Amino acid sequence: QVRLVESGGGLVQAGGSLTLSCAASGNIFGIYDMAWYRQAPGKQRELVASMSTGGITKYVDSVKGRFTISRDNAKNTVSLQMNSLKPEDTAVYYCNADRRASRGNYWGQGTQVTVSS
């Protein structure tokens, strides 16, 4: 069993910054990808950023240049540094871990990020 717990969400003004953190615990052996998703009211959940064990990163176009995903394999954590936040970034952000090949996929409970204009 894998447990993911997000933290760091909150309220920030447009142009501000927040850093989200996700701590993984339990049977974390074999986790290949770590990612951040977000879901705003009335919208589908979307992939924001991901990082493989090998350090390959991907970002949705809307956050490129503003968000940075980082991963500490030794500490079993993944973070998302969010700069130059915009109101459209407002959403519940979820941490995700995947073993690939349908061997396991796990979600955190989510943390709210609200950006005021």
Side-chain angles (χ1 to χ4, degrees), residues 6-10 18-22 36 78-82 93-94 111-113:
E6 304 98 331
S7 62
L18 283 174
T19 299
L20 306 182
S21 182
C22 173
W36 288 95
V78 61
S79 298
L80 185 69
Q81 183 179 352
M82 305 183 293
Y93 284 71
Y94 297 90
T111 185
Q112 177 71 47
V113 172

Side-chain angles (χ1 to χ4, degrees), residues 25-67:
S25 62
N27 185 17
I28 61 173
F29 178 81
I31 297 296
Y32 194 90
D33 298 300
M34 298 291 293
W36 288 95
Y37 287 74
R38 67 185 180 187
Q39 186 168 24
K43 297 182 179 180
Q44 289 189 281
R45 188 175 300 184
E46 68 173 348
L47 175 65
V48 179
S50 66
M51 177 177 282
S52 71
T53 299
I56 303 299
T57 60
K58 296 181 179 180
Y59 297 91
V60 67
D61 286 344
S62 61
V63 309
K64 288 181 178 178
R66 299 189 297 120
F67 291 11

